[in-house]
Amino acid sequence: MTITSSRADARMLAPLALVFNAFTWGVSWWPFRRLEAAGLHPLWLTAITFAVAVAGLLLVRPKALGEVARTPALWVLVLAAGTTNACFNWGVTVGDVVRVVLLFYLMPLWAVLLARPLLGERIHAGAVLRIALALGGAVIVLWPKSGAGFSAFSLPDVLGVVGGFSFALNNVMLRREAKRSEPARALAMFGGGMLIALLLALAQWRSGAIGGPPLPAGGWIAGTAALAAWFVASNLALQYGAARLPAATTAVIMLTEVVFASASALLLGAGELDARTAIGGSLILAAAALAALRRG
């Protein structure tokens, strides 16, 4: 009776854990913007947040560092995860949240193209359909109202697209390196989030595009610590839920991130949803949903 009850509780908690993770990333733009207003650019904030996560992981699993250092394939994961987090956090802070998140979810397109050389997966008819849906949606979202081609392709647009591509590469590499230990993969992802954001922040700082990190102050330090704790809890929730539900269920639930991001951005004036964005976004999400259902 106790075992049955425990399993039932797990089935109930697992979806909630995934929704919590999706909610975290869907509304993360808000604390990033608040802390940017306090003088902390999202790249500095990303680097600091993931540095806290790296320090905590190394305290618990110090041997993971050696495994990452000895495994060149995990260096690709460092690059992919780091670029994903830096681009997403930067993009939703400085751009239209709805537009950036939709472009980020072009990842099923990139996943199909990357899985061919990295995993040896064939491109079948269903994959071609997903590519067509994602590309069609992207063209509709990106085509400027003036009709002047893609001349209005902005920095946040680039960050959304590159972030989605990097996330697809991140997911493909996680599948490819599934035999590696969980601490090593986690360290590669957290370490990438720290290193890539730090390198981009330093480059932007040296060019004069952004300011340096602000002087220590209770407000932004407390906010950063709280955000780091929130992200760690969200990551643990993702691992809990994903380990107990089918991959297709996990992927579909994670699409609720778009709902959380869009709703919060529209309510708080950080995004717009016109007819063209709605149509293009629907095509992109249809491609993502088909990819998720296929993994079941």
Side-chain angles (χ1 to χ4, degrees):
M1 182 69 175
T2 303
I3 295 177
T4 303
S5 177
S6 176
R7 289 175 177 174
D9 290 343
R11 284 196 298 269
M12 293 176 61
L13 289 174
L16 293 177
L18 293 179
V19 170
F20 171 69
N21 180 266
F23 173 79
T24 296
W25 288 105
V27 303
S28 63
W29 63 269
W30 187 80
F32 271 92
R33 291 192 177 197
R34 297 281 294 185
L35 287 166
E36 185 193 34
L40 188 60
H41 190 276
L43 288 175
W44 294 120
L45 177 55
T46 300
I48 295 170
T49 300
F50 281 97
V52 173
V54 167
L57 183 58
L58 287 177
L59 282 174
V60 179
R61 294 288 189 273
K63 293 183 179 179
L65 181 60
E67 184 176 350
V68 173
R70 295 189 303 269
T71 311
L74 290 179
W75 304 349
V76 179
L77 189 58
V78 169
L79 177 63
T83 303
T84 296
N85 285 286
C87 288
F88 182 84
N89 295 339
W90 189 3
V92 295
T93 303
V94 302
D96 182 303
V97 174
V98 176
R99 185 177 172 104
V100 171
V101 171
L102 287 175
L103 293 175
F104 184 83
Y105 269 89
L106 282 171
M107 54 188 170
L109 162 64
W110 311 126
V112 169
L113 299 178
L114 289 168
R116 175 60 178 170
L118 295 177
L119 299 176
E121 294 184 359
R122 298 178 62 183
I123 298 179
H124 49 80
V128 173
L129 173 60
R130 297 199 301 274
I131 289 173
L133 286 171
L135 279 177
V139 169
I140 293 172
V141 170
L142 290 173
W143 200 268
K145 296 177 181 178
S146 63
F150 288 93
S151 59
F153 202 60
S154 65
L155 172 62
D157 292 338
V158 173
L159 294 172
V161 172
V162 174
F165 175 85
S166 301
F167 192 44
L169 178 59
N170 178 88
N171 293 343
V172 170
M173 290 305 297
L174 282 175
R175 288 173 57 194
R176 188 174 184 268
E177 301 303 314
K179 61 182 179 296
R180 308 297 175 188
S181 71
E182 289 188 7
R185 285 180 290 158
L187 180 61
M189 294 175 67
F190 288 147
M194 176 186 69
L195 290 173
I196 300 302
L198 180 60
L199 290 174
L200 287 173
L202 289 172
Q204 291 287 301
W205 182 32
R206 288 179 63 87
S207 70
I210 67 173
L215 295 174
W220 74 260
I221 291 177
T224 301
L227 189 62
W230 188 11
F231 282 173
V232 169
S234 174
N235 183 270
L236 293 174
L238 173 63
Q239 294 185 43
Y240 177 88
R244 290 164 175 79
L245 293 172
T249 303
T250 297
V252 171
I253 291 175
M254 293 310 295
L255 284 175
T256 59
E257 177 187 336
V258 180
V259 178
F260 290 126
S262 299
S264 61
L266 293 173
L267 285 172
L268 298 176
E272 297 180 1
L273 185 62
D274 55 19
R276 184 181 352 219
T277 303
I279 294 171
S282 297
L283 293 177
I284 292 171
L285 292 179
L290 287 173
L293 292 172
R294 180 179 177 272
R295 285 199 290 271

